[in-house]
Amino acid sequence: MRRISRGKFVVIVSFFLCLLAIEGWIYNNTDGQNLNIKYESFDVRNISTANVTKKFRGVGNGLSNIIKVEKTTYSFKAVVQDKEAKEEKKEEVVPVAPPVPFWHLPTEMGTISQNPHYSHMAFDITSPRGSNEVIYPVANGVITSIYNDAYGALIVTILHEVDGARYTSQYVHLSRYAEGLYVGKWVSYTDPIGWMGTSGYSTGVHLHIAVLDCALYDPNDANCANLNSFFAYGNKKALEGYWGLGSYVNVPVSWTSRS
Ligand SMILES: [Zn+2]
């Protein structure tokens, strides 16, 4: 009799253990299904930001019932490494994630036709669209000047503040300005500021773009208190190996950066 009771006891305990296991499995499974995340869209056309829409579907209240929608915009920031850090990492063979630029490219399409050097502190960018190529700010900022230089080039400069540091981007040779531009206007990186052109000292339609870590026309900024100091500072930085926009943006040979 004792042996039978023990046997029955074991069977009953096993049965309940089994029930607990099944309940646990159902609970975990249901919990997982309740947070069924569906990625509706992932916009990677813009290399600096990504929009992700998550839809949470409830299974308890009917299939494909959307109970929650979350929209998130991810902005990527540049990883700026100093020379020492780069040298240290030289020997390591570590797979690294692709660079995530903070700055936006100034055009939708383009090819670099000239890199910065000591007498040309800027990138020259051409486009298959020619003067139909819209020029955008490389980051949000405020317009600090709209002017023609001595050769008649149409120029815009924008002041940016990124992580507490100030930068000036300069866009040269535009064919025309966007409407409604004025000095002091806040612009987003999605606001057109003009169109590519060949105004001024230029042999073909292109954008000449310089980005310097100074605030143009700020009397408190000795580096770029005026246009002459802007160029002088740019050339000094170029001799030091500073490549303006290229220091921050991984600029491909050609690209489509904006939707
Ligand atoms: Zn140029």
Side-chain angles (χ1 to χ4, degrees), residues 103 121 138-145 147 155-162 165-171 209-218 221 223-227 230 233-234 242 244-245 248:
W103 299 90
M121 182 48 216
V138 290
N140 297 348
V142 61
I143 294 177
T144 46
S145 66
Y147 67 97
I155 302 170
V156 176
T157 63
I158 300 176
L159 176 65
H160 312 280
E161 193 164 302
V162 178
R166 301 203 292 173
Y167 301 86
T168 294
S169 58
Q170 187 199 38
Y171 312 80
I209 176 165
V211 182
L212 282 177
D213 57 338
C214 64
L216 187 56
Y217 301 124
D218 181 347
D221 191 330
N223 289 323
C224 292
N226 56 51
L227 208 51
F230 180 81
Y233 182 60
Y242 178 93
L245 188 65
Y248 301 94

Coordinates of all heavy atoms in Angstrom, one line a residue, residues 103 121 138-145 147 155-162 165-171 209-218 221 223-227 230 233-234 242 244-245 248:
W103 N 26.6 65.5 -39.4 CA 26.3 66.6 -40.4 C 25.5 65.9 -41.6 O 25.7 64.8 -41.9 CB 27.5 67.2 -41.0 CG 28.4 67.9 -39.9 CD1 29.4 67.3 -39.2 CD2 28.3 69.2 -39.5 NE1 29.9 68.3 -38.4 CE2 29.3 69.4 -38.5 CE3 27.5 70.3 -39.9 CZ2 29.5 70.7 -37.9 CZ3 27.7 71.5 -39.3 CH2 28.7 71.7 -38.3
M121 N 40.3 76.0 -49.3 CA 39.8 75.5 -48.1 C 38.3 75.1 -48.2 O 37.5 75.7 -47.6 CB 40.0 76.5 -47.0 CG 39.6 76.1 -45.6 SD 40.2 74.4 -45.1 CE 38.8 73.8 -44.2
V138 N 24.0 72.2 -43.9 CA 24.6 70.9 -43.5 C 24.1 70.6 -42.1 O 24.3 69.4 -41.6 CB 26.1 70.9 -43.6 CG1 26.6 70.9 -45.0 CG2 26.7 72.1 -42.8
A139 N 23.6 71.5 -41.4 CA 23.0 71.3 -40.1 C 22.0 72.5 -39.8 O 22.0 73.4 -40.5 CB 24.1 71.3 -39.0
N140 N 21.3 72.3 -38.7 CA 20.4 73.5 -38.3 C 21.3 74.6 -37.9 O 22.4 74.4 -37.4 CB 19.5 73.1 -37.2 CG 18.6 71.9 -37.5 OD1 18.4 71.6 -38.7 ND2 17.9 71.3 -36.5
G141 N 20.8 75.8 -38.2 CA 21.6 77.0 -37.8 C 20.9 78.3 -38.1 O 19.7 78.3 -38.4
V142 N 21.7 79.4 -38.0 CA 21.1 80.7 -38.3 C 22.0 81.3 -39.4 O 23.2 81.2 -39.4 CB 21.1 81.6 -37.0 CG1 22.5 81.8 -36.4 CG2 20.4 82.9 -37.3
I143 N 21.3 82.0 -40.3 CA 22.0 82.6 -41.5 C 22.8 83.8 -41.0 O 22.2 84.7 -40.3 CB 21.0 83.0 -42.6 CG1 20.4 81.7 -43.2 CG2 21.7 83.8 -43.7 CD1 19.4 81.9 -44.2
T144 N 24.1 83.8 -41.2 CA 24.9 84.9 -40.8 C 25.3 85.9 -41.9 O 25.7 87.0 -41.6 CB 26.2 84.5 -40.1 OG1 26.8 83.4 -40.9 CG2 25.9 83.9 -38.7
S145 N 25.1 85.4 -43.2 CA 25.3 86.4 -44.3 C 24.8 85.9 -45.6 O 24.7 84.7 -45.8 CB 26.8 86.7 -44.4 OG 27.5 85.6 -44.9
Y147 N 25.5 87.2 -49.4 CA 26.3 88.3 -50.1 C 26.8 87.8 -51.5 O 26.9 86.6 -51.7 CB 27.4 88.8 -49.2 CG 28.5 87.9 -48.9 CD1 29.7 87.9 -49.7 CD2 28.4 86.9 -47.9 CE1 30.7 87.0 -49.4 CE2 29.4 86.0 -47.6 CZ 30.6 86.1 -48.4 OH 31.6 85.2 -48.1
I155 N 26.6 83.9 -52.3 CA 27.1 83.2 -51.2 C 26.1 83.3 -50.0 O 25.5 84.3 -49.8 CB 28.5 83.7 -50.8 CG1 29.4 83.7 -52.0 CG2 29.0 83.0 -49.6 CD1 30.7 84.4 -51.8
V156 N 26.1 82.2 -49.2 CA 25.3 82.1 -48.0 C 26.2 81.6 -46.9 O 27.0 80.6 -47.2 CB 24.0 81.3 -48.1 CG1 23.3 81.2 -46.7 CG2 23.1 81.8 -49.1
T157 N 26.2 82.1 -45.7 CA 26.9 81.5 -44.6 C 25.9 81.2 -43.5 O 25.0 82.0 -43.3 CB 28.1 82.3 -44.1 OG1 27.5 83.6 -43.5 CG2 29.1 82.6 -45.1
I158 N 26.1 80.1 -42.8 CA 25.2 79.7 -41.7 C 26.1 79.3 -40.5 O 27.1 78.7 -40.6 CB 24.4 78.5 -42.1 CG1 23.5 78.8 -43.4 CG2 23.5 78.0 -41.0 CD1 22.7 77.7 -43.9
L159 N 25.6 79.8 -39.3 CA 26.3 79.5 -38.1 C 25.6 78.3 -37.4 O 24.4 78.3 -37.3 CB 26.2 80.7 -37.2 CG 26.8 80.5 -35.8 CD1 28.3 80.3 -35.8 CD2 26.5 81.8 -34.9
H160 N 26.4 77.3 -37.0 CA 25.8 76.2 -36.3 C 26.4 76.0 -35.0 O 27.5 76.4 -34.7 CB 26.2 74.9 -37.1 CG 25.9 75.0 -38.6 ND1 24.7 74.8 -39.1 CD2 26.7 75.3 -39.6 CE1 24.7 75.0 -40.5 NE2 26.0 75.2 -40.8
E161 N 25.6 75.5 -34.1 CA 26.2 75.1 -32.8 C 26.0 73.6 -32.6 O 24.8 73.1 -32.6 CB 25.5 75.9 -31.7 CG 26.3 75.8 -30.4 CD 25.9 76.9 -29.4 OE1 26.0 78.1 -29.7 OE2 25.4 76.5 -28.3
V162 N 27.1 72.9 -32.4 CA 27.0 71.5 -32.3 C 27.7 71.1 -31.0 O 28.9 71.3 -30.9 CB 27.6 70.8 -33.5 CG1 27.6 69.3 -33.3 CG2 26.9 71.2 -34.8
A165 N 30.0 73.6 -29.5 CA 31.0 74.3 -30.3 C 30.3 75.0 -31.5 O 29.3 74.5 -32.0 CB 32.0 73.2 -30.9
R166 N 30.9 76.0 -32.0 CA 30.3 76.8 -33.1 C 31.1 76.6 -34.4 O 32.3 76.5 -34.4 CB 30.3 78.3 -32.7 CG 29.5 78.5 -31.4 CD 28.9 79.8 -31.3 NE 29.9 80.8 -31.1 CZ 29.7 82.1 -31.1 NH1 28.5 82.6 -31.3 NH2 30.7 83.0 -30.9
Y167 N 30.3 76.5 -35.4 CA 30.9 76.2 -36.8 C 30.2 77.1 -37.8 O 29.0 77.5 -37.6 CB 30.6 74.8 -37.2 CG 31.2 73.7 -36.3 CD1 30.5 73.3 -35.2 CD2 32.5 73.2 -36.5 CE1 31.1 72.4 -34.3 CE2 33.0 72.3 -35.7 CZ 32.3 71.9 -34.5 OH 32.9 71.0 -33.7
T168 N 30.9 77.5 -38.8 CA 30.3 78.3 -39.9 C 30.4 77.5 -41.2 O 31.5 77.0 -41.5 CB 31.0 79.6 -40.1 OG1 30.8 80.4 -38.9 CG2 30.5 80.4 -41.3
S169 N 29.3 77.3 -41.9 CA 29.3 76.7 -43.2 C 29.1 77.8 -44.2 O 28.3 78.7 -44.0 CB 28.3 75.6 -43.3 OG 27.0 76.1 -43.1
Q170 N 29.8 77.7 -45.3 CA 29.7 78.7 -46.4 C 29.4 78.0 -47.7 O 30.1 77.0 -48.1 CB 31.1 79.4 -46.5 CG 31.1 80.6 -47.4 CD 32.5 81.0 -47.8 OE1 33.3 80.2 -48.0 NE2 32.7 82.3 -47.9
Y171 N 28.4 78.5 -48.4 CA 28.0 77.9 -49.7 C 28.2 79.0 -50.8 O 27.6 80.0 -50.7 CB 26.5 77.5 -49.6 CG 26.2 76.8 -48.3 CD1 26.0 77.5 -47.1 CD2 26.1 75.4 -48.3 CE1 25.7 76.8 -45.9 CE2 25.8 74.7 -47.1 CZ 25.6 75.4 -46.0 OH 25.4 74.7 -44.8
I209 N 31.8 74.4 -50.9 CA 31.4 74.5 -49.5 C 32.5 74.3 -48.5 O 33.3 73.4 -48.7 CB 30.3 73.4 -49.2 CG1 29.9 73.4 -47.8 CG2 30.7 72.0 -49.7 CD1 28.6 72.7 -47.4
A210 N 32.5 75.2 -47.6 CA 33.6 75.2 -46.5 C 32.9 75.2 -45.2 O 31.8 75.8 -45.0 CB 34.4 76.5 -46.6
V211 N 33.4 74.4 -44.3 CA 32.9 74.4 -42.9 C 34.1 74.6 -42.0 O 35.1 73.9 -42.0 CB 32.2 73.1 -42.5 CG1 31.7 73.1 -41.1 CG2 31.1 72.7 -43.5
L212 N 34.0 75.7 -41.2 CA 35.1 76.0 -40.2 C 34.6 76.1 -38.8 O 33.4 76.4 -38.6 CB 35.8 77.3 -40.6 CG 36.7 77.3 -41.8 CD1 37.2 78.7 -42.0 CD2 37.9 76.4 -41.5
D213 N 35.4 75.7 -37.9 CA 35.0 75.7 -36.5 C 35.2 77.1 -35.9 O 36.0 77.4 -35.0 CB 35.8 74.7 -35.7 CG 37.3 74.9 -35.7 OD1 37.8 75.5 -36.7 OD2 38.0 74.3 -34.8
C214 N 34.4 78.1 -36.5 CA 34.5 79.4 -35.9 C 33.2 80.1 -36.3 O 32.4 79.6 -37.1 CB 35.7 80.2 -36.5 SG 35.6 80.4 -38.3
A215 N 32.9 81.3 -35.7 CA 31.7 82.0 -36.0 C 32.0 83.2 -36.8 O 32.6 84.2 -36.3 CB 31.0 82.4 -34.6
L216 N 31.6 83.2 -38.0 CA 31.9 84.3 -38.9 C 31.2 85.6 -38.5 O 30.0 85.5 -38.1 CB 31.5 83.9 -40.4 CG 31.8 84.9 -41.5 CD1 33.3 85.2 -41.6 CD2 31.4 84.3 -42.8
Y217 N 31.8 86.7 -38.5 CA 31.3 88.0 -38.2 C 31.0 88.2 -36.7 O 30.3 89.0 -36.3 CB 30.0 88.3 -39.0 CG 30.2 88.3 -40.4 CD1 29.5 87.5 -41.3 CD2 31.2 89.1 -41.0 CE1 29.7 87.5 -42.6 CE2 31.5 89.1 -42.4 CZ 30.7 88.3 -43.2 OH 30.9 88.3 -44.5
D218 N 31.6 87.3 -35.9 CA 31.4 87.4 -34.4 C 32.7 88.2 -33.9 O 33.8 87.6 -34.0 CB 31.3 86.1 -33.8 CG 31.1 86.2 -32.2 OD1 31.4 87.3 -31.7 OD2 30.8 85.2 -31.6
D221 N 35.1 86.3 -31.8 CA 35.8 85.2 -32.4 C 37.0 85.7 -33.2 O 36.8 86.1 -34.4 CB 34.9 84.3 -33.2 CG 35.5 82.9 -33.6 OD1 36.7 82.9 -33.7 OD2 34.7 82.0 -33.7
N223 N 39.2 84.2 -34.7 CA 39.5 83.4 -35.9 C 38.7 83.9 -37.1 O 39.2 83.9 -38.2 CB 39.3 81.9 -35.7 CG 40.3 81.3 -34.7 OD1 41.5 81.6 -34.8 ND2 39.8 80.4 -33.8
C224 N 37.5 84.2 -36.9 CA 36.6 84.5 -38.0 C 35.8 85.8 -37.8 O 34.6 85.8 -38.0 CB 35.6 83.4 -38.3 SG 36.5 81.9 -38.9
A225 N 36.4 86.8 -37.2 CA 35.7 88.1 -37.0 C 35.3 88.7 -38.2 O 34.4 89.5 -38.2 CB 36.6 89.0 -36.2
N226 N 35.9 88.4 -39.4 CA 35.5 89.0 -40.7 C 35.8 88.0 -41.8 O 36.4 86.9 -41.5 CB 36.1 90.3 -40.9 CG 37.6 90.3 -40.8 OD1 38.3 89.4 -41.5 ND2 38.2 91.1 -40.0
L227 N 35.5 88.3 -43.0 CA 35.7 87.4 -44.1 C 37.2 87.1 -44.3 O 37.6 86.0 -44.6 CB 35.1 88.0 -45.4 CG 34.6 87.0 -46.4 CD1 33.7 85.9 -45.8 CD2 33.8 87.7 -47.5
F230 N 38.3 84.7 -41.9 CA 37.7 83.4 -42.2 C 38.6 82.6 -43.2 O 38.9 81.5 -43.0 CB 36.3 83.6 -42.8 CG 35.6 82.4 -43.2 CD1 34.9 81.6 -42.2 CD2 35.5 81.9 -44.5 CE1 34.2 80.4 -42.5 CE2 34.8 80.8 -44.8 CZ 34.2 80.0 -43.9
Y233 N 42.0 81.8 -41.6 CA 41.9 80.7 -40.6 C 41.7 79.4 -41.3 O 42.2 78.4 -41.0 CB 40.7 81.0 -39.7 CG 40.5 80.0 -38.6 CD1 41.5 79.7 -37.7 CD2 39.3 79.3 -38.5 CE1 41.3 78.7 -36.7 CE2 39.1 78.3 -37.6 CZ 40.1 78.1 -36.6 OH 39.9 77.1 -35.7
G234 N 40.9 79.5 -42.4 CA 40.6 78.3 -43.2 C 41.9 77.7 -43.8 O 42.2 76.5 -43.7
Y242 N 43.3 69.9 -41.5 CA 41.8 70.0 -41.2 C 41.1 70.0 -42.6 O 41.4 70.8 -43.4 CB 41.5 71.3 -40.4 CG 40.1 71.5 -40.1 CD1 39.5 71.0 -38.9 CD2 39.3 72.2 -41.0 CE1 38.2 71.3 -38.6 CE2 38.0 72.5 -40.7 CZ 37.4 72.0 -39.5 OH 36.1 72.3 -39.2
G244 N 37.7 70.5 -43.0 CA 36.4 71.1 -43.0 C 35.3 70.0 -42.8 O 35.4 69.1 -41.9
L245 N 34.3 70.1 -43.7 CA 33.2 69.2 -43.7 C 33.7 67.7 -43.6 O 33.1 66.9 -42.9 CB 32.4 69.4 -44.9 CG 31.0 68.7 -45.0 CD1 30.1 69.2 -43.9 CD2 30.4 68.9 -46.4
Y248 N 34.1 65.7 -40.4 CA 32.9 65.3 -39.7 C 32.0 64.4 -40.5 O 31.3 63.5 -39.9 CB 32.0 66.5 -39.3 CG 32.8 67.5 -38.5 CD1 33.5 68.5 -39.0 CD2 33.0 67.3 -37.1 CE1 34.3 69.4 -38.3 CE2 33.7 68.1 -36.3 CZ 34.4 69.1 -36.9 OH 35.2 69.9 -36.1

